[in-house]
Amino acid sequence: MTSTEGASERAEPPCIRPEPLVDTHLPGKATPTGGGCAVVPDGGGEVAANGVRDLENRILRITGYYGYNPGYSSHRREEGSESNAETPGSETSDESRSYQTCTNTALKVLGGLLLVLCVSSSWVGTTQVVKLTFQSFSCPFFISWFSSNWNIFFFPIYYSGLVVTTHEKQTPIQKFRECSRLFGEDGMTLKLFVKRTAPFSILWTLTNYLYLMALKKLTATDVSALYCCHKAFVFLLSWIVLKDRFMGVRIVAAIMAITGIVMMAYADGFHGDSFVGVALAVGSASTSALYKVLFKMFLGSANIGEVAHFLSTMGFFNLIFISCVPLILYFTKVEHWGSLSSLPWGYLCGLAGLWLVFNILVHVGVVLTYPILISIGTLLSVPGNAAVDVLKHEVIFSVVRLAATCIICLGFLLLLLPEEWDSATLRFLASIADKKSDEHGEELTESSVNTRSRSRANGTVSIPLA
């Protein structure tokens, strides 16, 4: 037995083999071993759970790649796996962020469209209620003064909405003092109250009074169309006073507005109530434009709280200082309204409420949505009033009046174009031209490929020229 064992040892010496560089071990399979030959490692290292050495660690150790230390490759693999795990998450966050942005934009646009309808309907309702009120109570200045007093409720409504939406912890007095910084760092004093509020309150009263006087002479459609000219007057005053950027398209729009005014006055001849009504409506648009330009000049870009504070302050000024004017008109028999119990309080309160809603929607909508939508809502009051005049009052419009109204509305739309509309239009046209050229190039490529395939099918070989 001993000799046999020795012979076998001489016939089959101990086998020492280096481990091959390519690891062919499959997971879940037993590691193949051959003929009792032991595998001697090239050096020390970590052994995996299944007894197979990590090939990558051994290669890096032998070559001395970048100062190898054990565990380097596995660490890099873990980092790679973590980065791969983070990439889908970052893509998901980017997608959710873009989705949220698109959702917010869609909600803002939908809210703006709803606001357009509310602005248009409130202004149409105000104009039509004025026409109904004049049937039983023809005192335009009293109506204007009474409606302007309702601006006092602007700040309380704003504060109530702030409490509901943001759970405001400041008292109304504290919030009122905070918003009074619009008048200066020291807040509102009596001198600043009169100095800043008086001119704006006077312009506000004149705008409303002239608008009501025009409604006594003209239809609601004509007055609302002429009032849209205030946009052109705002541009002209801003260009002259505020040195705003000159835009040729807006000059064209201003010319169109003036053309519409002249055509409206010429519709019934330059005489009678029609001409006076056109002059009153244009005067209302002019004072409204002056009010807006002065507000931008002296008060700048005020936030919604400061605007609410300012309008409520104007309401107080109107109640305190302008109340003497209706009394003077009453005692001079210019506007005689009889006893207080005989006044149409239903129409008066409805008119004042609609006017207040219109002002709130205009000033709040500029902050919450796009300002251009508010202007479109004002413009839509023209066809709204036209529909009411035709269906209810059976008004027949002449061709000249319709042409004048269309010209004024077209000029109003031109004034809504942004300042960079020309460069944006050129970029859009250039992108369309590039897209068409790319499509044409793709068509040529496809046609050449089809030609070559047909030639090959016919056995023809095209030899390129050197």
Side-chain angles (χ1 to χ4, degrees):
M1 293 290 293
T2 305
S3 62
T4 306
E5 291 176 359
S8 63
E9 288 177 0
R10 286 191 300 270
E12 188 176 355
C15 180
I16 299 174
R17 293 182 301 179
E19 185 181 359
L21 293 179
V22 179
D23 189 2
T24 58
H25 170 62
L26 297 176
K29 298 289 183 72
T31 305
T33 57
C37 294
V39 180
V40 178
D42 294 332
E46 296 178 357
V47 179
N50 56 2
V52 180
R53 199 181 312 279
D54 191 343
L55 175 61
E56 185 181 358
N57 285 341
R58 187 173 64 259
I59 294 174
L60 292 175
R61 186 183 68 251
I62 293 172
T63 58
Y65 182 72
Y66 289 116
Y68 165 77
N69 56 353
Y72 173 79
S73 60
S74 61
H75 177 68
R76 292 295 297 270
R77 284 198 304 273
E78 290 175 359
E79 286 184 351
S81 62
E82 290 178 359
S83 63
N84 291 333
E86 289 176 359
T87 302
S90 61
E91 293 178 355
T92 305
S93 62
D94 292 340
E95 291 178 358
S96 62
R97 193 180 300 112
S98 61
Y99 175 76
Q100 184 177 3
T101 303
C102 295
T103 303
N104 293 335
T105 305
L107 290 176
K108 193 173 182 180
V109 171
L110 291 176
L113 294 177
L114 180 61
L115 194 64
V116 165
L117 296 177
C118 293
V119 169
S120 178
S121 58
S122 61
W123 192 235
V124 170
T126 301
T127 306
Q128 295 297 328
V129 172
V130 169
K131 298 290 287 185
L132 293 176
T133 306
F134 280 158
Q135 296 177 1
S136 58
F137 184 72
S138 181
C139 298
F141 194 89
F142 180 85
I143 296 174
S144 174
W145 169 81
F146 181 78
S147 301
S148 299
N149 289 337
W150 282 51
N151 285 336
I152 297 173
F153 300 113
F154 205 112
F155 186 82
I157 294 174
Y158 159 74
Y159 182 79
S160 301
L162 198 65
V163 170
V164 172
T165 55
T166 63
H167 303 288
E168 180 66 36
K169 295 182 179 180
Q170 289 180 319
T171 62
I173 301 299
Q174 292 175 344
K175 192 65 179 179
F176 191 82
R177 289 177 179 174
E178 179 184 342
C179 295
S180 64
R181 294 176 184 174
L182 180 69
F183 292 90
E185 295 296 332
D186 299 331
M188 185 177 61
T189 61
L190 181 61
K191 181 179 179 180
L192 285 175
F193 170 72
V194 176
K195 181 180 178 181
R196 293 289 181 90
T197 310
F200 292 101
S201 183
I202 292 172
L203 287 174
W204 182 282
T205 303
L206 276 177
T207 299
N208 296 343
Y209 176 67
L210 293 175
Y211 188 84
L212 296 178
M213 287 292 293
L215 286 173
K216 293 184 67 176
K217 308 291 184 180
L218 300 174
T219 62
T221 305
D222 295 341
V223 176
S224 59
L226 290 169
Y227 183 75
C228 288
C229 295
H230 77 277
K231 197 76 175 177
F233 299 152
V234 167
F235 164 70
L236 294 175
L237 289 174
S238 300
W239 178 41
I240 296 171
V241 179
L242 302 179
K243 307 300 180 182
D244 282 357
R245 178 185 173 185
F246 174 81
M247 291 182 62
V249 67
R250 293 186 177 179
I251 290 293
V252 173
I255 294 173
M256 293 177 67
I258 296 172
T259 303
I261 292 171
V262 174
M263 291 179 64
M264 192 75 72
Y266 177 75
D268 296 331
F270 293 97
H271 57 80
D273 291 343
S274 178
F275 181 77
V276 175
V278 171
L280 291 172
V282 173
S284 176
S286 302
T287 52
S288 176
L290 184 59
Y291 169 88
K292 293 180 179 180
V293 172
L294 291 178
F295 188 93
K296 184 178 181 181
M297 179 188 297
F298 292 108
L299 302 179
S301 55
N303 56 37
I304 184 172
E306 293 172 344
V307 170
H309 176 280
F310 185 74
L311 291 177
S312 294
T313 305
M314 282 203 312
F316 279 110
F317 184 90
N318 185 80
L319 180 63
I320 296 172
F321 294 98
I322 304 184
S323 298
C324 59
V325 179
L327 295 176
I328 293 173
L329 295 177
Y330 173 78
F331 288 112
T332 56
K333 306 294 184 180
V334 176
E335 289 187 0
H336 185 73
W337 57 79
S339 61
L340 295 178
S341 58
S342 62
L343 296 180
W345 291 110
Y347 285 139
L348 292 176
C349 292
L351 169 61
L354 285 173
W355 220 323
L356 178 63
V357 169
F358 173 77
N359 291 322
I360 291 176
L361 291 175
V362 167
H363 291 91
V364 173
V366 171
V367 178
L368 297 181
T369 183
Y370 304 101
I372 190 174
L373 297 178
I374 307 301
S375 301
I376 293 175
T378 306
L379 180 63
L380 290 179
S381 65
V382 178
N385 282 312
V388 176
D389 288 341
V390 171
L391 298 176
K392 185 175 181 180
H393 303 291
E394 298 180 355
V395 177
I396 300 176
F397 297 102
S398 62
V399 178
V400 178
R401 288 186 181 276
L402 287 176
T405 302
C406 293
I407 291 173
I408 292 173
C409 292
L410 183 59
F412 188 93
L413 290 175
L414 290 178
L415 289 168
L416 297 181
L417 291 175
E419 293 185 356
E420 303 295 336
W421 72 275
D422 48 355
S423 59
T425 304
L426 291 176
R427 288 196 299 268
F428 177 72
L429 294 176
S431 64
I432 293 178
D434 293 340
K435 188 175 180 180
K436 288 184 177 179
S437 62
D438 293 341
E439 292 178 353
H440 183 64
E442 292 177 357
E443 290 177 357
L444 290 177
T445 304
E446 292 178 357
S447 61
S448 62
V449 170
N450 294 331
T451 303
R452 290 178 181 176
S453 62
R454 286 196 300 268
S455 63
R456 290 174 182 175
N458 296 328
T460 307
V461 180
S462 60
I463 302 175
L465 298 177

